[in-house]
Amino acid sequence: MRLELGNILIKDVQFGNETKVEDHVLYVNKEELIELIKQDEHITEVDVDLARPGESVRITPVKDVIEPRVKVEGPGCIFPGILGKPDMVGSGKTHVLKGAAVMTVGKIVGFQEGIVDMCGPGAEFTPFSKLNNVVINVERQEGLEPHAHEHAVRMAGLRAAAYLGEAARNVTPDEVEVYETKPLFEQAEELKDLPKVAYVQMIQTQGLLHDTYVYGVDGKQIIPTILYPTESMDGAVVSGNCVSACDKNTTYHQINNPVVKALFEKHGKEINFVGTIVTNENVYLADKERSSNMTAKLAEFLGLDGAIVSQEGFGNPDTDLIMNAKKLAGKGIKTVIITDEYAGRDGASQSLADADPSADAVVTGGNANEIIVLPKLDKVIGTLDYTDIIAGGFDGSLREDGTIMVEIQAITGATNELGFNKMSATGY
């Protein structure tokens, strides 16, 4: 598959009478966007706000972050299986509003939601502080079940991103990135002198608001499968989970997966990047064994020499991570795992809940239990009501002077396993 990403560089976002891009500014018709989102009967109130890099703004509790994109050539649509037919994506041309994002907030769905600061020390821990954010604040019907609440907010974010993405359809990109992966045997012949490497992407699928969708299908219902890496760049994988903010791979992470991009940078030079194996994270032992067995089988079937494995979540999924590493290594495949650590606030506790000597090559995102103090900021989008109960917070996190003392895990995107702030995973 060959995919061209046409990046339209966004340097500012403003409200306007028309949703459009002009001179690197994204203008948003606020009323039109609100009406679009309110078409969902489960949503009672909607507000839209803007947050730009460097502003004294705190956004919480954050549910998802999505980059606006639009297919301009080739099959499918952005977020196939959710906003359109489940056609295979990953080829053709897609325009991207690079530097802009949609962020969803509102009453808490699950306690594992996070904080984004647009300035100050907290901003240094999240990639989203560098973006021009269109923040969708959603109020849902009273009595709505948590899963229905999550679905309503998720769909609001995806629809808003698609709506804004349309503004890029007829804009000439500032830059074009080209990514291509050829069919397995053809590429193996062309690059026969290079080691064959794949990305094993573990997605959060443990239920209880810990869900990820592949072509619109809940990942709990799939067995490990192979994707062209360009498919995720076109929205084939979508976040629907409320796992701890630093462990959550938002939809923005999925379509800008830095592991995929890092492997493409080495493709044809140092490695033959053959594709992505998407595998789920399970609750029951038998399901963990099944998925890790099939992941290792697919890796063997592809004739891999090396694999990069990333994890989403922590604790229970550590077992899936170690199973994958152990079984890949057992096939003679050199394996690197990417994970953050939960080593306690003093850094002295066991970092992962599971371990094996075969997992001897690790890229770490650092200790998510580390404490940080966030200063009081001038404006809050959303609410601070849940500061003490979100993952990483504790009784007294929100202090009387307006400052917040929390663990880094409370910051959205801070040390997630895809590693926006610490990725270097190709040295297998």
Side-chain angles (χ1 to χ4, degrees), residues 3-7 69-73 78 90-96 173 233-234:
L3 177 66
E4 294 185 14
L5 294 180
N7 294 326
R69 297 187 173 201
V70 61
K71 291 292 297 179
V72 296
E73 186 177 300
I78 295 296
S91 64
K93 297 180 180 180
T94 296
H95 284 182
V96 182
M233 292 177 169
D234 248 2

Side-chain angles (χ1 to χ4, degrees), residues 8-11 67 97-101 130-133 252:
I8 292 101
L9 305 181
I10 301 301
K11 300 179 181 179
E67 184 173 62
L97 292 181
K98 186 61 66 177
K130 316 301 188 297
L131 303 177
N132 294 284
N133 295 298
Y252 189 99

Side-chain angles (χ1 to χ4, degrees), residues 173-227:
D174 297 292
E175 59 185 26
V176 176
E177 301 173 356
V178 179
Y179 300 93
E180 184 173 16
T181 304
K182 296 181 180 179
L184 181 64
F185 295 118
E186 178 183 349
Q187 188 163 286
E189 178 61 28
E190 287 185 6
L191 303 175
K192 56 186 176 183
D193 295 327
L194 297 178
K196 295 184 288 297
V197 178
Y199 171 39
V200 177
Q201 182 178 2
M202 294 170 51
I203 58 175
Q204 179 59 251
T205 57
Q206 292 179 290
L208 298 175
L209 305 179
H210 292 47
D211 305 301
T212 306
Y213 298 86
V214 181
Y215 282 98
V217 176
D218 189 334
K220 292 189 295 297
Q221 301 175 20
I222 70 171
I223 57 176
T225 189
I226 299 171
L227 297 181

Side-chain angles (χ1 to χ4, degrees), residues 19 36 40 51 80 110 113 118 125 138 166 169 178 200 222-223 231 238 254 257 263 271 300 310 367 397 408 415-416:
T19 297
L36 171 69
D40 186 335
E113 298 178 20
M118 298 303 294
F125 286 90
V138 172
E166 281 293 333
R169 181 177 292 278
V178 179
V200 177
I222 70 171
I223 57 176
E231 291 180 73
V238 168
Q254 301 292 358
N257 191 311
L263 290 171
I271 63 171
E300 181 182 46
S310 70
N367 180 17
S397 280
I408 289 176
T415 56
N416 66 78

